[in-house]
Amino acid sequence: MKMHKLLLLAVACTWALGAAAQWQWIDKDGRKVFSDRPPPSDIPVKSILKQPGGSAAVRIAPDAGAAASGADDAAPATAAKAPTKPASAGKDKELEEKKAQAEAAEAAKKKAEEEKLARAKAENCARARRAKADLEMGRPTMQVNAQGERVFMDEASRNAEIKRASEIMATDCAR
């Protein structure tokens, strides 16, 4: 029974670790804000009190202490500016990379579709050329009618098929 209580206590303590990953800053109205997201870009770096992760947090000295140690406050503020800019630039880079990857994938997909269409046109062209050549030879050719019976082509249907093959060649064959 005691083991269960200890386990429950350990789990409860680990839940509190999630609260440590929060941002703290003072907004433009002077209120302290707590969030799991970074502050908006209009919040100056000197107003950020705490950052999650191992990065150095910027501490704002009270107004009385600010007058006494003016030189000491400049160093943490500049130290905090350096990590903040690359973090936001890193997010922008990631966004740009994802955008570029999506565009590249879309271009590759479009190119694959164009290649597939080009192959289909080339195949249709070759088929139409063979059919036209066979029809122009003049030898008797059979075709299946609506009832599924094989019948020999007459001259009118032969000319219609030659015309259809010529139209296919005009649209699908690259010159």
Side-chain angles (χ1 to χ4, degrees):
M1 186 68 171
K2 287 185 180 184
M3 186 62 127
H4 286 90
K5 288 181 181 180
L6 287 174
L7 183 61
L8 184 62
L9 180 65
V11 169
C13 290
T14 58
W15 277 336
L17 292 176
Q22 288 192 349
W23 289 83
Q24 293 180 15
W25 69 90
I26 297 177
D27 66 0
K28 57 187 168 197
D29 297 329
R31 293 179 295 204
K32 193 182 266 191
V33 179
F34 298 88
S35 177
D36 60 341
R37 298 179 185 260
S41 59
D42 62 340
I43 301 295
V45 176
K46 66 179 184 172
S47 297
I48 299 174
L49 302 174
K50 183 180 172 189
Q51 299 179 35
S55 61
V58 178
R59 305 279 181 196
I60 296 180
D63 292 334
S69 61
D72 293 338
D73 289 339
T78 55
K81 284 183 184 177
T84 305
K85 287 183 182 176
S88 64
K91 289 180 184 177
D92 290 342
K93 280 186 179 179
E94 289 176 15
L95 180 63
E96 292 296 324
E97 288 175 4
K98 286 182 181 180
K99 190 176 182 181
Q101 288 175 352
E103 289 174 357
E106 186 176 328
K109 183 178 178 182
K110 188 175 181 179
K111 185 178 179 182
E113 288 176 8
E114 288 175 357
E115 289 175 355
K116 184 177 179 182
L117 183 62
R119 283 193 304 268
K121 281 187 173 189
E123 187 177 322
N124 287 342
C125 176
R127 217 179 287 142
R129 284 184 181 174
R130 283 192 304 264
K132 185 177 178 185
D134 287 345
L135 290 169
E136 287 177 341
M137 286 183 149
R139 61 182 174 188
T141 306
M142 295 183 110
Q143 119 185 75
V144 179
N145 65 8
Q147 289 81 24
E149 301 170 337
R150 290 186 175 197
V151 293
F152 286 101
M153 292 178 107
D154 61 347
E155 197 61 32
S157 61
R158 180 184 300 273
N159 289 337
E161 285 297 313
I162 290 173
K163 182 179 177 184
R164 190 174 72 83
S166 297
E167 289 172 356
I168 292 172
M169 287 172 46
T171 59
D172 289 349
C173 295
R175 294 182 183 179

